[in-house]
C-alpha cells in the first residue's frame, strides 16, 4: 500500500493533475481547429499555430455555425494556453525547490513537470526493492501470456498510475532526441516491433533511469559515467 501523502504533497499532485487535464483539453481543441482548417484546404499541420498560420485560419471564409465553432475554439485555445503557462511557472518553482526533482532535471528531455511528477508519485524511493517494482507500479510492465512451455510478452498492463504513465510518455521522445543510448534503443525496437511499442519501451527505460538516479542520489552525468564504466568492465567475447 502506498504511504499516505502529506497535505502539501497532495496539493502539488493536484497542481500536476490540473495541468495535465488542461493540456489534454487543449489538444482536443487544437484537433478540432485542425479539422476545420483541413476541410477548407488549409493544411499547415504544426505551422497552423504560428502567428501566420493562425492569421490564415482566422481569415477563412466559413459558414456561420462553422465560423462560430472556429472563433469559440480560438478563444478557448488562448485561455487554455495562458492558464497552462501560469501552471508551468508554478510547477517549475516547485521542482526547483525539491532537491530530488533537481537531480532528475539533469537528465536531457526531463522538464519540471516530469521531474516533479516522478518525485511526488513515487514517493519514498526506498519502498521499491528494484526497478521492476517501479515499472509495475506505474503500469508500464508488459503482461505475460504463458501457455505450456511458451511465454510471450503482451501489451502493458496499465494497472498503475495513469498520470505518471502519461507524463513519461510525453517526456520520452524529448529524452530520446538528446541521449544516444535511448535513441539507439528506440530505433532498434521501432524496426522490430513498431512505433507504439517503441514509445512504451522508451517510457519504461526513462522511468528506470529516473528511479536509479533517485535511489542512488546521482545526477545524469554520474549515471552515464557508471554506465560507461560498466561497459568497459565487461569481458570481451571472442568471435574466433
Amino acid at each position: 500500500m502506498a504511504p499516505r501523502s502529506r497535505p502539501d504533497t497532495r496539493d502539488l499532485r493536484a497542481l500536476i493533475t490540473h495541468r495535465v487535464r488542461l493540456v489534454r483539453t487543449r489538444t482536443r481543441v487544437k484537433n478540432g481547429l485542425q479539422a476545420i482548417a483541413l476541410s477548407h484546404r488549409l493544411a499547415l499541420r504544426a505551422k497552423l499555430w504560428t502567428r501566420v498560420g493562425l492569421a490564415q485560419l482566422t481569415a477563412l471564409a466559413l459558414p456561420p455555425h462553422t465560423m462560430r465553432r472556429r472563433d469559440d475554439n480560438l478563444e478557448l485555445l488562448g485561455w487554455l494556453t495562458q492558464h497552462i503557462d501560469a501552471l508551468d511557472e508554478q510547477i517549475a518553482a516547485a521542482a526547483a525547490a525539491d532537491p530530488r526533482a533537481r537531480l532528475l532535471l539533469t537528465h536531457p528531455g526531463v522538464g519540471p513537470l516530469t521531474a516533479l511528477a516522478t518525485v511526488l508519485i513515487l514517493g519514498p524511493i526506498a519502498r521499491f526493492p528494484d526497478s521492476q517494482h517501479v515499472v509495475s507500479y506505474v503500469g508500464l510492465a508488459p503482461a505475460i501470456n504463458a501457455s505450456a512451455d511458451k511465454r510471450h510478452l503482451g501489451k502493458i498492463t496499465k494497472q498503475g498510475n495513469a498520470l505518471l504513465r502519461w507524463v513519461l510518455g510525453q517526456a520520452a521522445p524529448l529524452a530520446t532526441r538528446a541521449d544516444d543510448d535511448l535513441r539507439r534503443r528506440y530505433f532498434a525496437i521501432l524496426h522490430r516491433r513498431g512505433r507504439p511499442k517503441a514509445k512504451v519501451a522508451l517510457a519504461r527505460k526513462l522511468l528506470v533511469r529516473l528511479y536509479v538516479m533517485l535511489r542512488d542520489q546521482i545526477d545524469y552525468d554520474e549515471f552515464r559515467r557508471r554506465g560507461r564504466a560498466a561497459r568497459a568492465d565487461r569481458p570481451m567475447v571472442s568471435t574466433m
Side-chain angles (χ1 to χ4, degrees):
M1 180 180 297
R4 182 172 297 178
S5 301
R6 295 182 305 172
D8 56 340
T9 299
R10 289 197 298 270
D11 195 44
L12 286 174
R13 289 180 65 164
L15 168 65
I16 291 172
T17 300
H18 182 48
R19 192 267 187 192
V20 168
R21 286 175 177 168
L22 289 188
V23 168
R24 286 174 163 170
T25 301
R26 183 172 64 179
T27 299
R28 290 194 292 271
V29 170
K30 283 186 170 184
N31 289 342
L33 288 168
Q34 284 280 11
I36 292 173
L38 288 172
S39 66
H40 290 80
R41 300 181 180 179
L42 185 61
L44 299 179
R45 298 188 178 182
K47 292 182 179 179
L48 184 64
W49 315 121
T50 64
R51 185 163 54 87
V52 173
L54 289 172
Q56 289 181 265
L57 177 61
T58 304
L60 285 176
L62 303 173
H65 297 306
T66 305
M67 182 185 299
R68 175 66 179 271
R69 179 187 170 201
R70 176 201 61 193
D71 293 346
D72 286 352
N73 277 330
L74 284 172
E75 183 179 353
L76 180 56
L77 178 62
W79 185 93
L80 287 166
T81 298
Q82 179 182 358
H83 283 72
I84 289 169
D85 289 345
L87 294 175
D88 283 340
E89 291 181 5
Q90 296 175 34
I91 290 171
D98 190 307
R100 300 164 300 169
R102 289 200 300 270
L103 273 181
L104 301 187
L105 283 169
T106 63
H107 193 297
V110 172
L113 174 67
T114 305
L116 190 61
T118 302
V119 165
L120 294 176
I121 292 170
L122 294 187
I125 209 67
R127 68 193 182 99
F128 297 102
D130 53 42
S131 60
Q132 290 183 345
H133 284 78
V134 174
V135 169
S136 295
Y137 179 76
V138 179
L140 285 170
I144 299 175
N145 302 316
S147 60
D149 58 344
K150 295 183 179 180
R151 180 175 175 271
H152 302 283
L153 298 180
K155 296 180 179 180
I156 58 173
T157 61
K158 293 188 178 181
Q159 296 176 351
N161 192 284
L163 176 61
L164 184 53
R165 192 165 59 246
W166 185 88
V167 169
L168 289 168
Q170 300 300 304
L174 299 176
T176 301
R177 293 174 198 158
D179 183 278
D180 292 340
D181 291 340
L182 288 179
R183 187 161 55 250
R184 282 192 294 268
R185 181 174 178 81
Y186 173 75
F187 283 109
I189 299 173
L190 175 67
H191 294 315
R192 294 198 320 266
R193 309 186 69 186
R195 188 177 302 275
K197 290 186 178 179
K199 291 175 67 174
V200 170
L202 262 295
R204 183 163 56 241
K205 186 72 172 178
L206 179 60
L207 172 61
V208 170
R209 284 183 169 208
L210 300 184
Y211 162 73
V212 171
M213 290 169 66
L214 288 174
R215 182 197 64 192
D216 297 349
Q217 289 294 287
I218 58 175
D219 63 9
Y220 174 75
D221 288 340
E222 175 62 15
F223 177 86
R224 292 298 303 272
R225 188 196 67 77
R226 292 185 183 185
R228 289 191 295 268
R231 287 193 293 271
D233 290 340
R234 290 175 188 164
M236 295 291 292
V237 177
S238 175
T239 58
M240 298 294 291

